[in-house]
Amino acid sequence: MNNGTTVKDIDAILRRQSVVTSRSPRAPERAKAWRALGALHERAFTEPQVVNRNWVIDRALCERCMPAHEHGWGRLPWVGWVCLKHKRWIKGDQQVDLARFGEALVAGRHWRGTLAPRGVLVDSPLVRLAEEAATVGISKAVLDHRAERVSRPSPGLLVYPETVSLARLLARPSFLDAVLGDATGRWKRALVEREVKAILPDAPDAEAWRAVARVWDFALSLQDCVRDAQWLGVAPEDRWNVLRFGSGFAQVQCPPHVSGNEVVQVPPT
């Protein structure tokens, strides 16, 4: 920025000087050249592209974590959508101050304390399911109240506390063992209903049954997957990438998670 150049300009110069021959943004020689240019640590630009068979998306970094007037993008596999240091919501085009939305900050701490150690990513199927369930089940009155406490409300932000709580539930080993165990379907359904209703705020206009339906469908999908695999004598195919959390499912087959975002590491200008 001080020299009036951009990442694209410098990449073009590197190619003209034959320092970098590949045009791929993920080329190892490109990362090596940028580390040399910035006198960076050898681990710079080495964040993983895949964690637990899920793609790590490239996303905006917290604006407060960056130097003044600079913007950065990178992979943050162990971070949710909250920068706890600066109390910022970092998803989307507009980053939002969360000083008046303490529930989201608590959710951010829960993410780092529970989901991050388990290798759950913000774009994983598990989290998308949790957000969908929270969105359809939460009270509109609760959403309206929360929207008044943030400058730029967005659907994902307003249901983030419940999204994290539901994701923690769906990745909880004891919960998975229970829904995949030998108990009756009636007992399992009651368990799902009790756990989901305990997460959603209690309000007259809440439609918790919608969230329960989403989670119950998830449980049935896992049961079918495990049952079919047992009949065929093969390892179950883990479409949700969560069976690894349950007892006896450490090794399962899981197709690569296809993300709509390219995993591109772009060095800061």
Side-chain angles (χ1 to χ4, degrees), residues 57-70:
I57 63 172
D58 206 58
R59 50 182 167 139
L61 306 177
C62 173
E63 295 174 351
R64 299 284 177 84
C65 291
M66 298 295 297
H69 309 297
E70 292 191 23

PDB file of all heavy atoms in Angstrom, residues 57-70:
ATOM      1  N   ILE A  57     -12.969 -22.336   4.451  1.00  0.00           N
ATOM      2  CA  ILE A  57     -13.243 -21.236   3.533  1.00  0.00           C
ATOM      3  C   ILE A  57     -12.306 -20.069   3.819  1.00  0.00           C
ATOM      4  O   ILE A  57     -11.788 -19.908   4.926  1.00  0.00           O
ATOM      5  CB  ILE A  57     -14.710 -20.778   3.638  1.00  0.00           C
ATOM      6  CG1 ILE A  57     -15.012 -20.226   5.043  1.00  0.00           C
ATOM      7  CG2 ILE A  57     -15.662 -21.902   3.292  1.00  0.00           C
ATOM      8  CD1 ILE A  57     -16.375 -19.574   5.157  1.00  0.00           C
ATOM      9  N   ASP A  58     -12.110 -19.263   2.801  1.00  0.00           N
ATOM     10  CA  ASP A  58     -11.322 -18.043   2.930  1.00  0.00           C
ATOM     11  C   ASP A  58     -12.273 -16.913   3.274  1.00  0.00           C
ATOM     12  O   ASP A  58     -13.298 -16.732   2.605  1.00  0.00           O
ATOM     13  CB  ASP A  58     -10.625 -17.754   1.599  1.00  0.00           C
ATOM     14  CG  ASP A  58      -9.369 -16.943   1.785  1.00  0.00           C
ATOM     15  OD1 ASP A  58      -8.485 -17.417   2.513  1.00  0.00           O
ATOM     16  OD2 ASP A  58      -9.288 -15.851   1.210  1.00  0.00           O
ATOM     17  N   ARG A  59     -11.993 -16.139   4.307  1.00  0.00           N
ATOM     18  CA  ARG A  59     -12.937 -15.108   4.755  1.00  0.00           C
ATOM     19  C   ARG A  59     -12.216 -13.888   5.294  1.00  0.00           C
ATOM     20  O   ARG A  59     -11.002 -13.919   5.534  1.00  0.00           O
ATOM     21  CB  ARG A  59     -13.878 -15.673   5.815  1.00  0.00           C
ATOM     22  CG  ARG A  59     -13.175 -16.400   6.965  1.00  0.00           C
ATOM     23  CD  ARG A  59     -14.183 -16.949   7.920  1.00  0.00           C
ATOM     24  NE  ARG A  59     -13.626 -17.888   8.870  1.00  0.00           N
ATOM     25  CZ  ARG A  59     -13.953 -17.920  10.154  1.00  0.00           C
ATOM     26  NH1 ARG A  59     -14.819 -17.062  10.641  1.00  0.00           N
ATOM     27  NH2 ARG A  59     -13.424 -18.820  10.960  1.00  0.00           N
ATOM     28  N   ALA A  60     -12.984 -12.841   5.497  1.00  0.00           N
ATOM     29  CA  ALA A  60     -12.403 -11.583   5.961  1.00  0.00           C
ATOM     30  C   ALA A  60     -11.932 -11.716   7.402  1.00  0.00           C
ATOM     31  O   ALA A  60     -12.573 -12.359   8.237  1.00  0.00           O
ATOM     32  CB  ALA A  60     -13.438 -10.463   5.845  1.00  0.00           C
ATOM     33  N   LEU A  61     -10.800 -11.096   7.684  1.00  0.00           N
ATOM     34  CA  LEU A  61     -10.301 -11.027   9.052  1.00  0.00           C
ATOM     35  C   LEU A  61     -10.960  -9.857   9.769  1.00  0.00           C
ATOM     36  O   LEU A  61     -11.532  -8.959   9.148  1.00  0.00           O
ATOM     37  CB  LEU A  61      -8.778 -10.855   9.043  1.00  0.00           C
ATOM     38  CG  LEU A  61      -7.984 -11.888   8.242  1.00  0.00           C
ATOM     39  CD1 LEU A  61      -6.503 -11.542   8.275  1.00  0.00           C
ATOM     40  CD2 LEU A  61      -8.221 -13.289   8.765  1.00  0.00           C
ATOM     41  N   CYS A  62     -10.881  -9.858  11.072  1.00  0.00           N
ATOM     42  CA  CYS A  62     -11.431  -8.760  11.859  1.00  0.00           C
ATOM     43  C   CYS A  62     -10.742  -7.451  11.475  1.00  0.00           C
ATOM     44  O   CYS A  62      -9.512  -7.364  11.444  1.00  0.00           O
ATOM     45  CB  CYS A  62     -11.242  -9.040  13.348  1.00  0.00           C
ATOM     46  SG  CYS A  62     -11.697  -7.660  14.424  1.00  0.00           S
ATOM     47  N   GLU A  63     -11.529  -6.430  11.180  1.00  0.00           N
ATOM     48  CA  GLU A  63     -10.967  -5.139  10.761  1.00  0.00           C
ATOM     49  C   GLU A  63     -10.156  -4.490  11.872  1.00  0.00           C
ATOM     50  O   GLU A  63      -9.209  -3.748  11.601  1.00  0.00           O
ATOM     51  CB  GLU A  63     -12.096  -4.212  10.324  1.00  0.00           C
ATOM     52  CG  GLU A  63     -12.834  -4.687   9.073  1.00  0.00           C
ATOM     53  CD  GLU A  63     -14.035  -3.841   8.755  1.00  0.00           C
ATOM     54  OE1 GLU A  63     -14.404  -2.981   9.599  1.00  0.00           O
ATOM     55  OE2 GLU A  63     -14.631  -4.022   7.667  1.00  0.00           O
ATOM     56  N   ARG A  64     -10.520  -4.750  13.122  1.00  0.00           N
ATOM     57  CA  ARG A  64      -9.776  -4.169  14.243  1.00  0.00           C
ATOM     58  C   ARG A  64      -8.442  -4.889  14.468  1.00  0.00           C
ATOM     59  O   ARG A  64      -7.528  -4.312  15.064  1.00  0.00           O
ATOM     60  CB  ARG A  64     -10.624  -4.240  15.513  1.00  0.00           C
ATOM     61  CG  ARG A  64     -11.940  -3.477  15.418  1.00  0.00           C
ATOM     62  CD  ARG A  64     -11.738  -1.989  15.537  1.00  0.00           C
ATOM     63  NE  ARG A  64     -12.988  -1.266  15.383  1.00  0.00           N
ATOM     64  CZ  ARG A  64     -13.856  -1.049  16.376  1.00  0.00           C
ATOM     65  NH1 ARG A  64     -13.616  -1.525  17.587  1.00  0.00           N
ATOM     66  NH2 ARG A  64     -14.979  -0.369  16.152  1.00  0.00           N
ATOM     67  N   CYS A  65      -8.359  -6.143  14.020  1.00  0.00           N
ATOM     68  CA  CYS A  65      -7.097  -6.880  14.157  1.00  0.00           C
ATOM     69  C   CYS A  65      -6.077  -6.462  13.110  1.00  0.00           C
ATOM     70  O   CYS A  65      -4.881  -6.720  13.272  1.00  0.00           O
ATOM     71  CB  CYS A  65      -7.356  -8.389  14.038  1.00  0.00           C
ATOM     72  SG  CYS A  65      -8.268  -9.119  15.413  1.00  0.00           S
ATOM     73  N   MET A  66      -6.545  -5.827  12.033  1.00  0.00           N
ATOM     74  CA  MET A  66      -5.662  -5.417  10.953  1.00  0.00           C
ATOM     75  C   MET A  66      -5.122  -4.013  11.198  1.00  0.00           C
ATOM     76  O   MET A  66      -5.735  -3.222  11.930  1.00  0.00           O
ATOM     77  CB  MET A  66      -6.424  -5.439   9.620  1.00  0.00           C
ATOM     78  CG  MET A  66      -6.932  -6.815   9.231  1.00  0.00           C
ATOM     79  SD  MET A  66      -5.601  -7.964   8.905  1.00  0.00           S
ATOM     80  CE  MET A  66      -4.825  -7.191   7.487  1.00  0.00           C
ATOM     81  N   PRO A  67      -3.980  -3.671  10.599  1.00  0.00           N
ATOM     82  CA  PRO A  67      -3.496  -2.285  10.683  1.00  0.00           C
ATOM     83  C   PRO A  67      -4.508  -1.315  10.097  1.00  0.00           C
ATOM     84  O   PRO A  67      -5.382  -1.699   9.327  1.00  0.00           O
ATOM     85  CB  PRO A  67      -2.199  -2.318   9.853  1.00  0.00           C
ATOM     86  CG  PRO A  67      -1.793  -3.747   9.842  1.00  0.00           C
ATOM     87  CD  PRO A  67      -3.051  -4.542   9.879  1.00  0.00           C
ATOM     88  N   ALA A  68      -4.401  -0.064  10.479  1.00  0.00           N
ATOM     89  CA  ALA A  68      -5.363   0.944  10.036  1.00  0.00           C
ATOM     90  C   ALA A  68      -5.446   1.002   8.517  1.00  0.00           C
ATOM     91  O   ALA A  68      -4.432   0.938   7.822  1.00  0.00           O
ATOM     92  CB  ALA A  68      -4.957   2.306  10.588  1.00  0.00           C
ATOM     93  N   HIS A  69      -6.670   1.094   8.030  1.00  0.00           N
ATOM     94  CA  HIS A  69      -6.960   1.258   6.595  1.00  0.00           C
ATOM     95  C   HIS A  69      -6.546   0.048   5.759  1.00  0.00           C
ATOM     96  O   HIS A  69      -6.370   0.159   4.560  1.00  0.00           O
ATOM     97  CB  HIS A  69      -6.286   2.520   6.036  1.00  0.00           C
ATOM     98  CG  HIS A  69      -6.549   3.749   6.834  1.00  0.00           C
ATOM     99  ND1 HIS A  69      -7.819   4.277   7.005  1.00  0.00           N
ATOM    100  CD2 HIS A  69      -5.713   4.549   7.534  1.00  0.00           C
ATOM    101  CE1 HIS A  69      -7.751   5.351   7.774  1.00  0.00           C
ATOM    102  NE2 HIS A  69      -6.494   5.543   8.098  1.00  0.00           N
ATOM    103  N   GLU A  70      -6.370  -1.097   6.384  1.00  0.00           N
ATOM    104  CA  GLU A  70      -6.034  -2.300   5.639  1.00  0.00           C
ATOM    105  C   GLU A  70      -7.116  -3.353   5.856  1.00  0.00           C
ATOM    106  O   GLU A  70      -7.790  -3.377   6.883  1.00  0.00           O
ATOM    107  CB  GLU A  70      -4.674  -2.857   6.070  1.00  0.00           C
ATOM    108  CG  GLU A  70      -3.499  -1.971   5.676  1.00  0.00           C
ATOM    109  CD  GLU A  70      -2.169  -2.664   5.887  1.00  0.00           C
ATOM    110  OE1 GLU A  70      -2.161  -3.911   5.908  1.00  0.00           O
ATOM    111  OE2 GLU A  70      -1.147  -1.971   6.009  1.00  0.00           O
TER     112      GLU A  70
END
